[in-house]
Every structure is written in structure tokens, then in C-alpha cells.
Amino acid sequence: MSLNGIDTSKWQAGLSDTNISADFIICKATEGVGYIDTDCDPSYQEALSAGKLVGFYHFARPESNSAFDEANYFYENTKGYFGVGIPILDYETNTDVNWAKQWLDRIYELTGVHALIYLSQSTANTGDWSPIWNDYALWVARYWDMAP
């Protein structure tokens, strides 16, 4: 089975999730330990109302914060989404596998939910991500050819 979807953030604010021809919508929720995306909840609620599958993501800033602090920040600001949407770690700025695993493990510890991790293909090919593969799904973006 194949699904089509998009991710949204404040940059797509006002885009009607009801009219998007997508099976799922993933909304940016937080970034680092001080940013909440203002379009997250409106987009998330609209997508749910439209009967779409939903996800919500955290954009990591490992160069500035600990995985523990960022996971706690994400959780505190998205508690109500767990159990409905899929949590995702958007990990684009670093190749520290241990940081990413600590973040994912902390979310699991807080919620009992295994989050996905989203990487660019170049990041996925840079490190040894095998410690994550056993427990967490890996979503690899391929921007250069737009292939699913």
C-alpha cells in the first residue's frame, strides 16, 4: 500500500488541509527548546477533521541543546497528539547517532510510542544508524529525484 502526503509548517499557513489531495499531513510542532510552530495545531486539527492521517514533528537543534531537553520540550508541547498522530524527529543538521537515539528513547520513555526519524539521504549515508533501526522506523528523504 502506498500513501501520499505532505509536511507543513508556518510557511504553509492558510493552506487548506481539507482540499489537499494527500492521505496524510505531518505538521511541524517544535524546534530546539524554544520554538513552537504557530500553524501546527490549526493544521493538525483541520487534517484530522478532513479524515487524513496525521503526524507531528520536532526539528532537532543538536548543536545547541541536549537530546533530553529537546525531547522533553517536544513532549510538553505535543502531549495531546500522542495516541492519534505519529511523532517524528526531523534530524537534518547533524550526524550524531547517539543524540538522535537519546531523543527517540526519551520520547518512548515518556509515551510508550516509537517515533519515526526523518533524515536526508546524505545524512543517512554518513553515520552508522543501525542502533536506531531495531526500534525506530527510518524515513529517508530523497529531495534530488523526488522519488518516494
Side-chain angles (χ1 to χ4, degrees):
M1 174 165 105
S2 119
L3 297 171
N4 292 311
I6 64 166
D7 70 277
T8 65
S9 70
K10 71 174 184 175
W11 302 109
Q12 290 81 34
L15 183 67
S16 174
D17 294 344
T18 348
N19 297 328
I20 295 171
S21 131
D23 303 305
F24 65 87
I25 296 179
I26 297 171
C27 308
K28 181 177 184 177
T30 57
E31 182 174 326
V33 293
Y35 177 80
I36 298 170
D37 193 289
T38 55
D39 191 55
C40 181
D41 196 59
S43 185
Y44 185 90
Q45 299 304 332
E46 186 179 352
L48 277 179
S49 294
K52 299 191 186 294
L53 300 170
V54 292
F56 53 105
Y57 73 92
H58 173 78
F59 189 88
R61 290 291 182 191
E63 67 284 353
S64 304
N65 307 297
S66 75
F68 185 84
D69 289 345
E70 288 204 20
N72 286 341
Y73 184 77
F74 176 67
Y75 172 71
E76 287 301 320
N77 288 287
T78 59
K79 285 182 197 175
Y81 298 165
F82 286 88
V84 178
I86 296 173
I88 301 163
L89 173 61
D90 184 349
Y91 198 69
E92 299 182 37
T93 62
N94 198 300
T95 57
D96 183 349
V97 176
N98 291 326
W99 192 102
K101 178 129 176 34
Q102 288 170 7
W103 190 96
L104 294 162
D105 288 346
R106 178 64 178 155
I107 292 299
Y108 181 74
E109 180 182 297
L110 291 167
T111 67
V113 174
H114 286 107
L116 298 175
I117 182 168
Y118 172 87
L119 305 170
S120 67
Q121 189 171 22
S122 60
T123 301
N125 290 331
T126 304
D128 175 11
W129 295 92
S130 61
I132 290 174
W133 295 338
N134 291 331
D135 296 315
Y136 303 99
L138 181 62
W139 173 14
V140 179
R142 292 177 45 165
Y143 310 112
W144 55 273
D145 69 358
M146 302 302 280

